[in-house]
Amino acid sequence: MTASLEVVETTVTARRPLDVAMTLHPLQRGKGDPCHRRAVDGSIWRTSVQPSGPVTYRLTQSDRHTVHCQAWGEGARELADGLNRLVGEQDECEDFAPEHPILAEAHRRFPHLRLGRTDRVLEALVPAILEQRVHGIAAFASWRRLVWKFGTPAPGPAPDGMRVPPTAHVWRRVPSWEFHRANVDPGRARTIVRCAQVADRLEKIVDLSPEEATRRLMSIPGVGIWTAAEVSQRALGDADALSVGDYHLASMVGWSLLGKPLDDAEMVTYLEPVRPHRYRAVRLLLVSGNAIKPKFGPRTPVVDHSWH
């Protein structure tokens, strides 16, 4: 653990039930993510870079309505000020009334499912780019290596091994051979550097409508509709951000709700009635255990770019 700093403590009392571990789960990039840790006592530890500086924060939940946050570092106060958004207290779903019995039952069983927002665009964008067109195992390994190499130690009493993700300034200067060593092909590496170069502009999309935010993201070469959706889900808490182009998603939605596979276009059409909650519907399928995707072929191979 690093040296102790002054702690900023904040408590959120939610109007509706919530589950902070469930809400923050999409932020974790694999089990070995150095920026996310689930402790044996059930607390969630995370790191971030706020505009005011790095922060380590620990979230605990005493009941379905109360979340307590302890934060350390220069960004502690800023993180605490956005805690309501982070844990999904501002997520509104009163107009979500799915007709499909599987979704309706999942919504009834998981009233505590919330979609939080980090308001940190680049922190969602870089790992999403790493996950483009590759196996998740490989993308998570690349993320770990790059954060370990170019991140900084987590401030405060963080669990051993936790790191703060690199800033835009650092991402802009990662050498091409370091991306190569992290098994990141030149195309994804160039996209990360390109996004880091305009990070100040990208961070401002948190104040825009979801449609305009997506347009701004997709104006960056190398950022397509899938990547933009993955960022909108996490940084903006966009309940409608559907990851079109995902290798498994359309098939999973089809098998889970219709008993047959769908392609992307068919999935978009089929989920139109639940707009603007298409991502919420997908999350409900996943957390409820109703997500189905039969395995008819071999596992997608993990491609190693580091030795080419």
Side-chain angles (χ1 to χ4, degrees):
M1 295 187 180
T2 58
S4 180
L5 302 171
E6 180 181 358
V7 60
V8 175
E9 303 203 37
T10 313
T11 298
V12 167
T13 302
R15 298 161 296 161
R16 298 186 290 114
L18 59 79
D19 183 323
V20 71
M22 183 183 294
T23 299
L24 269 61
H25 180 73
L27 303 181
Q28 183 176 10
R29 306 295 179 164
K31 293 183 179 179
D33 187 350
C35 305
H36 186 112
R37 187 75 57 85
R38 179 83 180 263
V40 293
D41 63 359
S43 60
I44 306 294
W45 289 82
R46 283 191 53 79
T47 62
S48 175
V49 181
Q50 300 292 302
S52 52
V55 61
T56 299
Y57 57 97
R58 175 179 182 262
L59 300 176
T60 55
Q61 192 164 0
S62 57
D63 56 54
R64 284 295 192 198
H65 291 268
T66 308
V67 178
H68 184 65
C69 175
Q70 298 170 291
W72 298 264
E74 294 172 4
R77 175 54 61 190
E78 195 167 16
L79 183 284
D81 290 342
L83 187 60
N84 274 346
R85 298 188 298 277
L86 179 67
V87 301
E89 169 58 4
Q90 297 184 355
D91 177 31
E92 301 292 346
C93 64
E94 285 75 10
D95 60 337
F96 180 57
E99 294 184 0
H100 195 291
I102 290 178
L103 288 176
E105 175 63 11
H107 187 42
R108 184 194 67 80
R109 287 175 51 212
F110 293 89
H112 46 283
L113 173 68
R114 301 291 195 92
L115 305 180
R117 56 180 292 165
T118 65
D119 291 319
R120 308 305 301 141
V121 175
L122 194 66
E123 286 180 17
L125 183 52
V126 170
I129 294 168
L130 291 175
E131 292 169 21
Q132 291 175 346
R133 304 181 303 278
V134 300
H135 200 292
I137 294 173
F140 297 153
S142 298
W143 172 248
R144 288 195 302 270
R145 180 177 180 121
L146 290 167
V147 172
W148 264 105
K149 178 77 174 181
F150 297 102
T152 55
D160 290 341
M162 293 201 72
R163 305 280 286 179
V164 175
T167 63
H169 176 79
V170 173
W171 282 121
R172 288 194 293 266
R173 288 161 175 76
V174 173
S176 60
W177 61 86
E178 291 291 354
F179 280 116
H180 187 69
R181 289 172 178 169
N183 197 22
V184 181
D185 61 84
R188 287 181 294 151
R190 285 193 296 269
T191 301
I192 289 172
V193 173
R194 194 178 292 126
C195 290
Q197 289 170 340
V198 295
D200 289 345
R201 177 159 58 89
L202 287 177
E203 294 297 344
K204 295 177 182 178
I205 70 172
V206 298
D207 298 320
L208 303 177
S209 69
E211 295 77 17
E212 180 61 18
T214 296
R215 191 190 70 78
R216 296 280 183 93
L217 284 166
M218 292 179 62
S219 71
I220 308 298
V223 177
I225 189 171
W226 180 87
T227 305
E230 293 286 306
V231 173
S232 293
Q233 292 161 10
R234 294 163 174 81
L236 310 182
D238 184 355
D240 199 50
L242 187 63
S243 299
V244 177
D246 188 275
Y247 186 76
H248 300 291
L249 183 61
S251 181
M252 183 274 286
V253 169
W255 281 112
S256 303
L257 299 179
L258 289 172
K260 64 178 184 179
L262 297 174
D263 61 23
D264 280 335
E266 291 168 334
M267 174 184 67
V268 170
T269 299
Y270 184 72
L271 291 180
E272 185 64 26
V274 298
R275 187 190 287 271
H277 297 280
R278 294 176 299 172
Y279 173 54
R280 189 186 309 280
V282 170
R283 285 284 292 144
L284 279 170
L285 284 177
L286 294 171
V287 303
S288 66
N290 288 314
I292 300 172
K293 186 180 185 299
K295 295 179 173 59
F296 293 134
R299 178 184 290 272
T300 307
V302 177
V303 179
D304 185 358
H305 299 280
S306 63
W307 59 271
H308 292 294

